[in-house]
């Protein structure tokens, strides 16, 4: 049977994950806006939506939960969450989701 303290802790953990996901979207938004309309002749890049939002939402929620676990002094779950965060970041860099849009990198001085 759960106690009131367990319920409060779970609620705080869910709130931390939600705020982390929102923070991930806020961090991603400037890149996403440029990536959606920054391609050649205004063409959109759907990979920005498919992978970019996913990586930043999962990364933000994972980072918030890792900090929450560290604050509660739960080292093993925190280590697992930090490992998952590294894997999400590696996925983001491997698929070029966390880098600048290609059109902005290759543009040169006239842009």
């Amino acid at each position: 049977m759960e106690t009131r303290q367990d319920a409060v802790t779970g609620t705080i953990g869910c709130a931390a994950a939600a705020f982390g996901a929102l923070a991930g979207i806020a961090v991603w938004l400037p890149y996403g806006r440029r990536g959606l309309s920054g391609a050649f002749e205004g063409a959109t890049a759907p990979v920005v939506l498919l992978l970019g939002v996913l990586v930043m939402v999962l990364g933000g929620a994972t980072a918030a939960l890792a900090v929450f676990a560290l604050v509660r002094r739960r080292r093993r779950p925190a280590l697992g969450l930090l490992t998952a965060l590294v894997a999400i970041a590696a996925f983001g860099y491997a698929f070029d989701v966390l880098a600048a849009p290609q059109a902005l990198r290759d543009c040169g001085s006239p842009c």
Side-chain angles (χ1 to χ4, degrees):
M1 184 170 224
E2 282 191 22
T3 64
R4 182 177 171 100
Q5 183 179 4
D6 292 338
V8 169
T9 302
T11 303
I12 292 172
C14 287
F19 285 128
L22 290 175
I25 290 173
V27 168
W28 173 82
L29 195 59
Y31 164 75
R33 187 178 54 209
R34 288 181 305 192
L36 286 175
S37 62
F40 182 68
E41 293 184 357
T44 60
V47 73
V48 172
L49 282 177
L50 294 175
L51 294 177
V53 172
L54 179 68
V55 167
M56 295 310 287
V57 167
L58 287 177
T62 304
L65 288 175
V67 169
F68 183 66
L70 285 172
V71 167
R72 293 188 62 219
R73 296 184 182 175
R74 307 280 181 154
R75 296 178 199 263
R76 245 183 212 182
L79 183 61
L81 287 165
L82 290 174
T83 304
L85 186 61
V86 168
I88 291 169
F91 176 84
Y93 281 113
F95 286 97
D96 208 21
V97 174
L98 300 177
Q102 187 69 29
L104 294 177
R105 282 187 273 157
D106 294 341
C107 188
S109 62
C111 291

